[in-house]
Amino acid sequence: MKIKICLVIILINVVIVFNGIHVIAQNVNTIDSIKQVIKNTKNDTIRIKAYLKWDELIYLQYPDTSIYINLKVCQIAEIILKENQTIVFNKSTKKYYADALNNLGYIYDTKGNAIKALDCYNKSLKIQEEINNKHGMANSLNNIGYVYDNLGNISEALEYYSKSLKIKEEIKDLNGMANSFNNIGTIYQNQGEANKALEYFNNSLKIHEKIGNKEGVSIAFNNIGMIYNSQAHEASLKKNISWDGLINKALEYCTKSLHVSEEINNKEGMVLSFLNIGQIYNDKANVEMSRNNKVESDFLIKNALEYYTKSLEICNEIGDKKGMANVFNNIGNIYFYQNNLLDAKVYFNKSYKLSKELGYPDNVLKAASGLRKLYEKQNEFKLAFKFYIEEVKMHDSLLNQSNYKKTIHQQANYEYEKKAATDSIAHIKSIEIKNLQVAKVELEKKRQSVIIIFIIIGLFLVIIFAVYIFRSLRITRKQKNIIETQKLEVVQKNTLLNQQNEEISTQRDLVTEQKERIEEIHKEVTDSINYAKRIQEAVLPISENARIVLGEHFVLFKPKDIVSGDFYWTTKIKNWLIIAVADCTGHGVPGAFMSMLGISFLNEIVQKQEIHKASQILNILRLEIINALQQKGEQGEQKDGMDISLLVINTDTNEAQWAGANNPLYIIKKFDNLKMTQFESDEASSNLQISQLSNQLVELKGNKMPIAIY
């Protein structure tokens, strides 16, 4: 029986090998055909298409060849654009040019050259905007966001990801939307907001499964797996029994990701899956060790090292330096916790050297942290302190990188403006010098003409020679005066130009200073409003407990100016569920103040005073607002306040009360011979008889009285 199984395995492996050889042979044949097309065709557009097709086949395995190919495409495209002026023709060429730049950005980013990658992506974006290729614009914005994300510049990354997602939603690019969801989820994951990250990753997974994008499915599985892994880690620290279930979920999703990547031969996906599975086994080993289960822990460590080694092999194959730095650091951590300090030091140093070469602060931080712990354990405190300083430096770098880049950008703008002004002045001077030279040439011609005339006259009129000499002297003196006058005018113009140069320089410095001050004030104001947004969101019912209280529902809340003058509020006191939606006067910061005031008073009235009657709640709220704003009802006084709709539900009896101030209540219901009674208002109660209705919209209008003096 064992022999049969072995034979089957051997046959399967032989089939896999032959299939692989067949695919490679096919690619080789295709590339040979492409090279023949490039060699023989005289049509530049066909050559560009052939080069891009060649790049599709080899960019993962041969990144250096890919760089050569795409640089060649850029070179040909530039030649075409110089020689042709046809708009349609140029549009297609520019698209190929932008695609090649985008490809170069991807390869440079993979090789760890973030500066070159950003340069290529920005050039690609500019061209895509010129030809209004929204699909290309979205991809370029997304790629720029990805580089900023790797550099630790979270605010820039989120800005570019959001711009990309907006365009993808506009053009209904499902695959692009899924990728954007994934990228935004990664940012939330790095910021420790696991629930938001999981929400975005699941959205990405659903779209990729719907459109059959296996590479996207693999990435989503990986990301979801690592969310569960981080939750498992937190549970293990708290000794929570949910740890086993979470870590098994993490392993399940990462293994699914690996299978999909292997199915489509996605090397990068395989690297990530091997790395993540190794990390999960490592985390499981640490927990088993804390449970004094050394045998199981050693087995899991062995598995972790095996997966790290597999990841490292593929990283070497595809030239993924960032992945190599991560693997080196993880293997170093395993050896460190096994007290194998010699091997740990080797791998930490490899990770540190490669991370410094790449320049990603996050990777450098991890490697420096490993070396600091190692030297502390070896009592080499001088070296430990050195790497501790590096840790702090990288941590600060991650926080301050955004401000640094903005400073560099401003400095670059200043240098550009300065050079432009200098060039302009030099141009004006060159024109003046040229004009002066022309004047001298003309003057020389006149002088020669005069001399010739006098020589001829002298030959024929010897008698009056003295008279003509006298006249020539007078003419010469006059011409000299003209020259002196022209010289004086040139000196005056030069003096004026120098004064203008000084004024331009002074004005430029003043404008630059004012620009920096305005940007600083704008940043302070925006930061304050963003902080106010966090405070406002903290008092809104967006927690899990609030959602559980409300049951099945949705909330559409889109502030116009970061913070909002609208708010929604809910609470549950015993068997009373109270829900309110309000529209305050004003919007932005003033409206937000009113919304905070309204929420505070509602909490005071309902939770502390335990008032459950809808109309009474609004009456008391109105009095509180009037007192708080010191409203007297005088002419010219600001009529600040709010319109509100408030619903009180008895969860035991399913009876509801409602009161509205300038805001109605809408009921969507299938009615059949039912009665709705006892809708209260401040003035009187009324009965509403509804019969023989089906799927009707009923509107109950509130009082024409706002929550304020009126």
Side-chain angles (χ1 to χ4, degrees):
M1 184 66 179
K2 290 181 179 178
I3 293 171
K4 289 181 179 178
I5 292 172
C6 290
L7 286 172
V8 170
I9 292 171
I10 290 168
L11 286 171
I12 290 171
N13 287 334
V14 167
V15 170
I16 291 170
V17 169
F18 274 109
N19 283 338
I21 292 170
H22 177 66
V23 170
I24 292 169
Q26 274 188 328
N27 282 345
V28 169
N29 290 335
T30 304
I31 291 171
D32 287 340
S33 300
I34 289 170
K35 288 180 179 178
Q36 285 298 317
V37 171
I38 293 169
K39 182 179 179 181
N40 296 327
T41 186
K42 294 182 180 180
N43 187 307
D44 287 333
T45 303
I46 293 175
R47 288 173 63 207
I48 285 178
K49 290 180 179 179
Y51 272 122
L52 291 175
K53 183 63 179 177
W54 183 5
D55 183 62
E56 285 179 14
L57 298 173
I58 57 90
Y59 76 98
L60 289 175
Q61 290 82 7
Y62 306 104
D64 292 330
T65 305
S66 178
I67 290 175
Y68 164 78
I69 290 171
N70 285 289
L71 286 173
K72 200 70 178 174
V73 171
C74 293
Q75 181 184 359
I76 297 170
E78 287 172 357
I79 294 170
I80 294 174
L81 293 172
K82 284 180 182 178
E83 295 177 351
N84 294 278
Q85 301 299 322
T86 307
I87 295 174
V88 176
F89 191 76
N90 280 356
K91 185 173 182 180
S92 62
T93 303
K94 285 182 178 181
K95 183 182 181 303
Y96 297 137
Y97 193 2
D99 290 342
L101 287 168
N102 188 72
N103 296 342
L104 284 169
Y106 173 82
I107 298 299
Y108 285 134
D109 187 41
T110 303
K111 294 172 77 67
N113 194 332
I115 302 302
K116 275 193 173 183
L118 272 178
D119 182 54
C120 290
Y121 285 145
N122 277 308
K123 287 179 179 177
S124 177
L125 175 61
K126 185 178 179 181
I127 295 171
Q128 301 287 14
E129 288 174 339
E130 284 178 11
I131 62 177
N132 196 31
N133 181 9
K134 293 193 175 181
H135 189 273
M137 289 160 58
N139 285 339
S140 295
L141 288 166
N142 183 77
N143 293 338
I144 294 169
Y146 181 76
V147 176
Y148 279 124
D149 190 4
N150 285 334
L151 290 171
N153 193 335
I154 302 304
S155 61
E156 291 285 352
L158 263 178
E159 180 183 349
Y160 279 98
Y161 283 155
S162 298
K163 287 179 179 177
S164 175
L165 179 58
K166 185 177 179 181
I167 295 174
K168 289 169 182 175
E169 288 175 338
E170 180 185 341
I171 63 177
K172 294 181 173 55
D173 177 9
L174 293 178
N175 186 57
M177 289 167 60
N179 291 333
S180 292
F181 283 138
N182 176 73
N183 292 335
I184 296 172
T186 301
I187 288 183
Y188 281 120
Q189 180 183 13
N190 294 335
Q191 296 299 303
E193 298 188 42
N195 289 333
K196 272 196 171 183
L198 200 58
E199 179 182 340
Y200 277 100
F201 289 150
N202 276 313
N203 287 339
S204 177
L205 176 61
K206 287 176 185 176
I207 295 175
H208 281 310
E209 287 180 333
K210 179 179 179 181
I211 64 178
N213 182 359
K214 292 189 176 181
E215 184 177 351
V217 169
S218 171
I219 293 170
F221 278 147
N222 243 325
N223 291 333
I224 293 170
M226 293 317 291
I227 290 289
Y228 284 124
N229 187 54
S230 64
Q231 290 179 333
H233 179 69
E234 292 175 7
S236 69
L237 294 176
K238 298 175 184 177
K239 296 184 178 179
N240 194 316
I241 58 173
S242 64
W243 178 84
D244 290 298
L246 290 169
I247 200 71
N248 288 333
K249 266 192 171 183
L251 188 58
E252 175 191 345
Y253 274 97
C254 288
T255 303
K256 283 181 179 179
S257 174
L258 176 60
H259 290 160
V260 175
S261 293
E262 288 176 336
E263 179 185 344
I264 62 176
N265 195 30
N266 180 6
K267 300 285 187 181
E268 290 178 326
M270 291 161 66
V271 166
L272 190 59
S273 295
F274 282 135
L275 187 62
N276 290 342
I277 293 172
Q279 181 63 50
I280 292 168
Y281 277 124
N282 190 20
D283 292 345
K284 287 186 75 173
N286 292 336
V287 173
E288 293 300 335
M289 182 59 76
S290 68
R291 295 174 176 175
N292 297 321
N293 191 351
K294 188 175 185 308
V295 175
E296 182 65 19
S297 177
D298 289 344
F299 173 74
L300 292 168
I301 286 292
K302 182 180 178 183
N303 283 344
L305 282 171
E306 180 184 343
Y307 278 97
Y308 285 152
T309 303
K310 289 178 179 179
S311 180
L312 190 59
E313 288 172 357
I314 301 177
C315 284
N316 277 318
E317 180 184 340
I318 64 176
D320 183 1
K321 292 185 178 181
K322 186 180 180 185
M324 291 166 65
N326 284 327
V327 176
F328 286 145
N329 190 69
N330 289 353
I331 294 175
N333 278 319
I334 286 180
Y335 286 131
F336 177 79
Y337 288 112
Q338 287 182 330
N339 211 29
N340 183 352
L341 300 185
L342 186 62
D343 286 338
K345 185 176 180 181
V346 171
Y347 280 96
F348 281 146
N349 274 317
K350 285 182 178 180
S351 177
Y352 179 74
K353 181 179 178 182
L354 195 53
S355 298
K356 289 288 283 184
E357 177 188 333
L358 297 175
Y360 289 138
D362 187 44
N363 294 73
V364 177
L365 175 65
K366 291 175 184 176
S369 176
L371 286 167
R372 188 259 304 164
K373 291 185 291 184
L374 185 141
Y375 285 123
E376 282 177 355
K377 202 164 188 177
Q378 291 181 331
N379 294 326
E380 295 186 42
F381 296 109
K382 187 174 181 180
L383 286 171
F385 182 72
K386 170 189 171 185
F387 285 103
Y388 170 72
I389 294 298
E390 185 77 8
E391 265 190 275
V392 174
K393 182 180 175 184
M394 288 302 105
H395 184 266
D396 291 342
S397 175
L398 288 172
L399 294 176
N400 299 327
Q401 217 166 42
S402 177
N403 291 334
Y404 171 74
K405 285 179 176 58
K406 287 178 181 176
T407 303
I408 292 296
H409 180 65
Q410 291 170 358
Q411 181 64 22
N413 282 343
Y414 169 75
E415 293 296 336
Y416 174 79
E417 291 167 3
K418 181 178 177 183
K419 184 177 185 303
T422 304
D423 291 344
S424 177
I425 293 163
H427 180 63
I428 292 170
K429 284 186 176 179
S430 68
I431 291 172
E432 292 294 334
I433 292 169
K434 187 176 180 181
N435 290 338
L436 182 60
Q437 290 174 343
V438 170
K440 285 183 176 180
V441 170
E442 291 295 326
L443 183 61
E444 187 64 25
K445 287 180 179 179
K446 287 182 181 180
R447 287 186 63 186
Q448 290 175 359
S449 298
V450 170
I451 292 170
I452 292 169
I453 291 170
F454 274 102
I455 290 172
I456 296 171
I457 294 172
L459 292 172
F460 291 99
L461 300 171
V462 176
I463 299 171
I464 55 174
F465 180 72
V467 176
Y468 278 98
I469 290 175
F470 176 73
R471 289 184 63 190
S472 68
L473 288 173
R474 287 183 62 190
I475 292 170
T476 302
R477 192 180 297 113
K478 185 178 179 181
Q479 290 171 344
K480 184 179 178 183
N481 290 335
I482 292 171
I483 292 170
E484 292 296 331
T485 303
Q486 289 176 339
K487 274 185 167 182
L488 182 61
E489 288 177 356
V490 170
V491 170
Q492 289 174 345
K493 287 181 179 179
N494 285 339
T495 304
L496 181 61
L497 282 173
N498 289 333
Q499 291 175 351
Q500 290 174 344
N501 289 344
E502 291 176 1
E503 290 176 1
I504 290 170
S505 178
T506 303
Q507 290 173 354
R508 184 186 62 248
D509 293 342
L510 179 61
V511 168
T512 301
E513 182 181 349
Q514 290 173 341
K515 176 176 174 288
E516 290 173 352
R517 178 58 182 157
I518 290 168
E519 287 177 347
E520 182 182 351
I521 293 170
H522 179 266
K523 182 179 181 301
E524 289 175 357
V525 171
T526 303
D527 289 347
S528 297
I529 296 174
N530 283 327
Y531 193 81
K533 177 187 177 185
R534 291 172 56 191
I535 295 172
Q536 186 182 37
E537 287 180 346
V539 301
L540 292 174
I542 61 175
S543 66
E544 288 296 328
N545 290 335
R547 294 183 177 186
I548 292 170
V549 164
L550 288 172
E552 186 177 355
H553 71 286
F554 73 91
V555 177
L556 179 63
F557 182 64
K558 296 175 75 63
K560 178 184 176 185
D561 297 317
I562 303 177
V563 291
S564 176
D566 301 335
F567 70 88
Y568 58 97
W569 173 85
T570 184
T571 188
K572 187 173 183 182
I573 307 295
K574 297 178 182 178
N575 62 324
W576 296 99
L577 173 62
I578 304 167
I579 307 165
V581 178
D583 176 11
C584 303
T585 56
H587 56 78
V589 175
F593 276 117
M594 285 300 298
S595 71
M596 297 291 287
L597 196 63
I599 291 171
S600 299
F601 283 143
L602 283 171
N603 286 330
E604 174 73 23
I605 295 166
V606 175
Q607 294 180 353
K608 292 187 178 180
Q609 299 181 24
E610 295 188 355
I611 296 172
H612 307 138
K613 189 173 181 182
S615 58
Q616 190 176 356
I617 291 171
L618 293 194
N619 286 333
I620 295 172
L621 176 61
R622 179 172 179 268
L623 292 176
E624 292 290 351
I625 292 293
I626 291 171
N627 290 335
L629 300 180
Q630 300 181 10
Q631 295 177 331
K632 307 294 185 183
E634 297 174 356
Q635 188 173 4
E637 181 182 69
Q638 286 292 102
K639 291 182 172 55
D640 294 317
M642 63 187 74
D643 299 336
I644 189 168
S645 183
L646 185 136
L647 189 67
V648 179
I649 302 171
N650 187 324
T651 56
D652 290 342
T653 64
N654 285 336
E655 293 177 338
Q657 309 168 32
W658 170 77
N662 272 339
N663 271 2
L665 172 67
Y666 294 107
I667 303 173
I668 301 172
K669 180 74 175 177
K670 181 177 180 181
F671 297 101
D672 187 12
N673 295 323
L674 299 178
K675 292 184 179 180
M676 297 175 60
T677 60
Q678 299 178 352
F679 290 96
E680 295 188 1
S681 66
D682 292 337
E683 300 166 355
S685 54
S686 61
N687 294 332
L688 179 65
Q689 175 72 37
I690 301 174
S691 63
Q692 302 300 330
L693 297 176
S694 176
N695 294 330
Q696 297 292 320
L697 172 66
V698 178
E699 177 184 2
L700 303 181
K701 295 185 178 179
N703 290 349
K704 293 292 184 180
M705 172 68 70
I707 303 300
I709 199 161
Y710 187 68

